[in-house]
Amino acid sequence: MKKNTTQETTVVEKNSPAEQSSSEEHAIRQQKVEQMRALGIEPWPGFKEVTATAKEVHDEFKDDDETRQYAVAGRIMSLREHGKSAFANIQDRTGTLQVYVQQDGVGEEAFAQFIKFADIGDIVWFYGRSFKTRSGEITLKVEQFTILSKCLHPIPSSFYGLSDVETKYRQRYLDLTIDAKDRERFIKRSQITKLIRQFLDSHSFMEVETPMLQPIPGGAAARPFITHHNTLDIDLYLRIAPELYLKRLIVGGLERIYEINRNFRNEGISTKHNPEFTMVEFYVAHQDYVWAMELVEKMLRFVAQEVNNNCLQVTFGDKKIDFAKPFVRMSMADAVKKYAKCSDDDLREGAIDDLLRTHQISLEKNAPWGKKLFVLFDQLVEPNLEQPTFITQFPVAVSPLAKRNANDPRLVDRFELFVAGMELGNAFNELNDPIDQAERFREQARALSGGDVEAHHYDADFVQALEYALPPTVGFGMGIDRLAMLLTGTTSIKDVILFPTLKPKD
């Protein structure tokens, strides 16, 4: 590796735009591995005790105390040689720390090995004392060092970053290494999940686990992934939702439960959809969807405030989302009337077809009234719901698991939460009439046999569970990936999933 050796301000230009190609660099580093082993130096030795993080070295430093000793370890992110000394910046999970390696401090032979073998990207253990340089930077003066893990490829410069977005997703480890903002985003995502769990635990919920491999997929309108169990010689499905199993637990007397779960839906990929995603679902006996709206609003305000340092306003693209204000509530019919600029008469059974034609929306023949209302909402209203909004009173035609409204049997007691033009959560009073549920399953089964790959299967075991009496229950489900998008100001779901699903490289 070439180094500029002029005078004392020598800088190792290992990651500049003019650096050698990655393949050449890889070959050079492999040669270093051979040279190290020839000298009896193992490039990937075992564990060495670390006594402090980079942040702890900074936090514990006092100007009048330069005697604190530390053993730290981190990845070398920059390396600057100055004659018989060298400065390096190392990075660990808490931040960065400057280390100072001097020939007089580590010995002539060790210093020569450090200069010859240490590269940007290596994980290195350092032992020494903290001090402050003349420029005021807290630094570790090294007395001993060991290369713990040799990096065989050049690490992209944090200044230039990863210009190829696909590389960010395919080689997330590089992205996390050099992009502090991306690391912070995933730290926030982890905090969001912890805060949801903390909130629900504090409201007397019990966390449970339900099967991810299911003999019958259910709980949502989605196309499942199919797999095969060799020993039982049966097809199984990766779950599209945990709903039907969670309601079985309510039947069993676990009256306040939740699950933070992975779901799988064999559908398209977009900025809002990934085939594998994370949800939280909770179910509560002896409450209804109005109560659930209050709880969800309270939960989201708590999470947003905690994860964003007491700030309830977040920026999402060009939108300013305010979680501090009371969430808007309106029925689906009222929302369509508002945004389609129509009246109750326009939504009547006979007149709604004219409204569809006016907006050039086509549906299959004999589509029920509820499906027509839902499609009008989906195309004309949903993109306009910027601030947190609960849309209530969904048609029964698109809600096969929800309880009918007592005053209008065409509707169910259900809400969906929309923020920034996308659905964030879904809840309803659970259908606990086994006879009604059986009939709706039969309707779904007919649609499935007719080619609707997202229709529900008939689940006889779940119907039997309802026959043992499901108490009045409300359930809620929310996508954690989308919530993470909102609270981190990220407009693509791929940027909040560590390893999103990608099309294979050619």
Side-chain angles (χ1 to χ4, degrees):
M1 176 164 300
K2 295 181 179 178
K3 301 178 184 178
N4 183 344
T5 57
T6 59
Q7 302 304 320
E8 295 185 357
T9 57
T10 304
V11 176
V12 182
E13 299 282 359
K14 296 186 179 179
N15 284 319
S16 68
E19 68 181 337
Q20 295 153 314
S21 70
S22 178
S23 59
E24 292 174 333
E25 178 73 12
H26 183 252
I28 290 170
R29 295 193 182 200
Q30 284 184 313
Q31 289 174 5
K32 289 186 179 185
V33 167
E34 295 173 4
Q35 292 167 358
M36 291 171 71
R37 284 180 166 155
L39 294 173
I41 304 171
E42 173 54 47
W44 295 280
F47 156 83
K48 286 186 74 70
E49 183 180 9
V50 173
T51 62
T53 64
K55 184 176 186 300
E56 287 169 341
V57 175
H58 282 277
D59 291 348
E60 295 175 7
F61 184 81
K62 295 180 181 179
D63 287 333
D64 59 349
D65 181 7
E66 296 188 3
T67 63
R68 289 178 180 265
Q69 296 175 304
Y70 298 98
V72 300
R75 187 184 296 275
I76 295 178
M77 301 303 293
S78 68
L79 183 57
R80 307 174 300 283
E81 181 187 342
H82 300 267
K84 296 183 179 181
S85 65
F87 285 93
N89 280 350
I90 64 168
Q91 177 176 283
D92 67 9
R93 61 184 172 84
T94 66
T96 60
L97 174 68
Q98 180 170 265
V99 298
Y100 177 52
V101 184
Q102 189 180 35
Q103 181 173 294
D104 290 346
V106 298
E108 184 175 347
E109 182 181 0
F111 181 75
Q113 290 175 352
F114 181 80
I115 296 301
K116 183 174 183 179
F117 297 130
D119 287 304
I120 293 174
D122 291 353
I123 308 294
V124 183
W125 176 90
F126 295 97
Y127 174 81
R129 301 172 187 270
S130 60
F131 75 104
K132 184 179 286 187
T133 65
R134 283 179 292 181
S135 63
E137 185 166 359
I138 295 169
T139 303
L140 191 76
K141 186 174 182 180
V142 176
E143 299 171 11
Q144 300 174 41
F145 72 89
T146 300
I147 295 177
L148 294 177
S149 187
K150 188 74 186 136
C151 181
L152 296 182
H153 295 274
I155 297 294
S157 166
S158 59
F159 179 82
Y160 295 99
L162 289 172
S163 58
D164 183 6
V165 174
E166 283 288 302
T167 302
K168 288 171 70 74
Y169 303 144
R170 294 185 189 278
Q171 294 179 274
R172 182 67 80 182
Y173 47 89
L174 288 181
D175 176 40
L176 296 174
T177 295
I178 66 174
D179 195 323
K181 289 183 179 179
D182 282 358
R183 287 197 301 275
E184 180 61 29
R185 183 184 305 122
F186 285 107
I187 290 170
K188 278 191 173 184
R189 182 198 162 107
S190 178
Q191 291 173 337
I192 288 166
T193 305
K194 290 178 183 177
L195 289 165
I196 290 171
R197 185 174 276 114
Q198 178 183 333
F199 180 88
L200 293 174
D201 288 346
S202 70
H203 284 75
S204 302
F205 282 81
M206 171 185 173
E207 185 172 8
V208 298
E209 294 180 340
T210 60
M212 296 175 74
L213 287 174
Q214 301 179 350
I216 299 175
R223 185 175 187 173
F225 288 95
I226 304 175
T227 187
H228 188 79
H229 191 284
N230 292 329
T231 301
L232 297 178
D233 193 24
I234 58 171
D235 284 341
L236 293 171
Y237 302 86
L238 293 179
R239 71 175 170 201
I240 55 177
E243 178 172 340
L244 301 187
Y245 283 91
L246 290 172
K247 285 192 280 193
R248 286 173 170 92
L249 298 180
I250 297 288
V251 172
L254 304 182
E255 295 183 340
R256 190 171 284 217
I257 56 175
Y258 75 95
E259 182 173 7
I260 295 175
N261 57 78
R262 301 290 285 178
N263 294 322
F264 308 85
R265 298 181 184 177
N266 200 347
E267 56 191 18
I269 299 173
S270 71
T271 57
K272 297 180 182 178
H273 295 90
N274 193 70
E276 178 182 2
F277 61 98
T278 305
M279 287 186 68
V280 57
E281 290 203 16
F282 70 67
Y283 291 80
V284 181
H286 309 297
Q287 292 292 357
D288 68 358
Y289 80 109
V290 177
W291 175 89
M293 276 192 281
E294 298 286 348
L295 186 73
V296 169
E297 184 169 343
K298 184 178 178 182
M299 178 174 70
L300 290 182
R301 196 167 286 125
F302 165 75
V303 173
Q305 182 168 317
E306 291 294 320
V307 82
N308 282 324
N309 299 317
N310 293 320
C311 181
L312 286 169
Q313 290 75 37
V314 299
T315 300
F316 183 74
D318 59 353
K319 302 176 177 65
K320 299 289 185 180
I321 309 299
D322 192 347
F323 286 96
K325 295 179 180 178
F327 293 7
V328 177
R329 301 184 186 188
M330 68 174 80
S331 71
M332 181 174 287
D334 286 342
V336 171
K337 286 188 293 182
K338 176 179 177 178
Y339 289 97
K341 295 181 173 55
C342 63
S343 65
D344 284 326
D345 287 340
D346 294 319
L347 298 181
R348 286 185 296 103
E349 184 75 48
I352 197 169
D353 291 328
D354 294 332
L355 193 59
L356 288 165
R357 281 190 289 270
T358 298
H359 292 282
Q360 299 180 331
I361 298 172
S362 59
L363 273 176
E364 67 273 16
K365 290 183 179 180
N366 302 318
W369 170 84
K371 183 75 174 290
K372 297 172 184 177
L373 177 66
F374 177 78
V375 171
L376 283 167
F377 168 81
D378 182 63
Q379 297 197 24
L380 304 180
V381 179
E382 185 174 331
N384 296 298
L385 301 178
E386 182 174 305
Q387 297 305 316
T389 302
F390 289 118
I391 297 296
T392 65
Q393 302 302 300
F394 276 62
V396 68
V398 294
S399 311
L401 300 170
K403 195 174 185 69
R404 293 179 192 268
N405 180 270
N407 299 316
D408 188 341
R410 299 177 306 168
L411 304 176
V412 296
D413 291 326
R414 172 183 176 187
F415 73 77
E416 283 191 356
L417 173 62
F418 293 87
V419 186
M422 64 181 178
E423 179 210 338
L424 190 60
N426 179 32
F428 43 80
N429 292 352
E430 302 297 338
L431 176 59
N432 60 348
D433 178 344
I435 298 171
D436 190 357
Q437 182 64 83
E439 178 54 36
R440 294 200 216 176
F441 272 156
R442 281 190 283 270
E443 291 175 4
Q444 288 287 303
R446 286 192 288 270
L448 184 66
S449 62
D452 184 352
V453 296
E454 294 188 350
H456 287 252
H457 294 237
Y458 189 96
D459 192 333
D461 182 77
F462 179 69
V463 173
Q464 183 181 48
L466 293 184
E467 291 176 347
Y468 282 91
L470 173 71
T473 298
V474 62
F476 170 77
M478 177 175 64
I480 289 179
D481 308 292
R482 289 188 180 180
L483 179 61
M485 289 171 62
L486 286 168
L487 296 184
T488 61
T490 306
T491 54
S492 173
I493 199 169
K494 292 180 181 179
D495 289 324
V496 295
I497 297 176
L498 283 167
F499 298 100
T501 303
L502 300 170
K503 182 179 179 180
K505 284 186 175 182
D506 294 334

